[in-house]
Amino acid sequence: GGCSGGAKSIHDPGTNFSGLKSYAWTPASHMGRNESLVVANVQFVADQVLEQKGFKKTLENPDLLISIEDEYEIGTYYGSYQLRMLSLKIYRRESKELIWRGTAPGAINTDAASDDLKNAVQDILAKFPPK
């Protein structure tokens, strides 16, 4: 399971990421089937990774907005979800311009006993900010 290092990213080459140091999460309202627990887990792992990289989570005038997008497959037993893809999109707050996107494809188990989700988020954010 998991994406095992298969995350990909793309960014706006004209963006200077060095001055961008704070962020906030966008509401996950577009995720019809997504469970709030999956969103909470993605944000929990991402917050840790971003903090280690020097970014600060704030609600007051963040430099960046981050959204989560996903594609699910419904599992064979009740309540079982498996992600086919997880993406983190990063926008400039002021212009709402997309400046970076990272995606982890593949079967990502969202079960708490699995490290798939954690590994996928860490793999995506290993590529942010771009060098």
Side-chain angles (χ1 to χ4, degrees):
C3 61
S4 65
K8 300 190 179 357
S9 68
I10 188 169
H11 68 278
D12 177 352
T15 299
N16 179 359
F17 288 84
S18 64
L20 306 172
K21 290 297 176 190
S22 62
Y23 71 95
W25 291 98
T26 63
S29 59
H30 67 282
M31 299 180 180
R33 288 189 308 220
N34 199 348
E35 294 184 18
S36 61
L37 289 174
V38 173
V39 171
N41 278 280
V42 168
Q43 290 179 352
F44 179 79
V45 173
D47 286 345
Q48 292 176 335
V49 173
L50 291 168
E51 183 179 322
Q52 290 171 351
K53 292 178 176 253
F55 290 89
K56 182 180 180 203
K57 183 177 169 181
T58 183
L59 296 177
E60 293 188 29
N61 299 319
D63 299 320
L64 306 169
L65 296 175
I66 305 175
S67 69
I68 302 168
E69 291 190 4
D70 54 21
E71 289 181 17
Y72 274 102
E73 288 179 3
I74 306 300
T76 55
Y77 62 93
Y78 180 76
S80 168
Y81 289 92
Q82 187 174 56
L83 290 170
R84 279 195 307 237
M85 181 192 67
L86 176 67
S87 293
L88 297 178
K89 291 184 172 184
I90 299 180
Y91 301 83
R92 284 189 185 275
R93 179 189 52 87
E94 291 178 359
S95 65
K96 308 290 191 272
E97 170 191 9
L98 178 65
I99 58 171
W100 187 90
R101 181 185 73 220
T103 301
I108 303 167
N109 188 337
T110 62
D111 187 306
S114 170
D115 282 337
D116 282 2
L117 191 61
K118 177 182 176 183
N119 292 339
V121 173
Q122 290 174 337
D123 194 29
I124 290 170
L125 289 175
K127 299 173 182 344
F128 180 80
K131 306 267 185 276

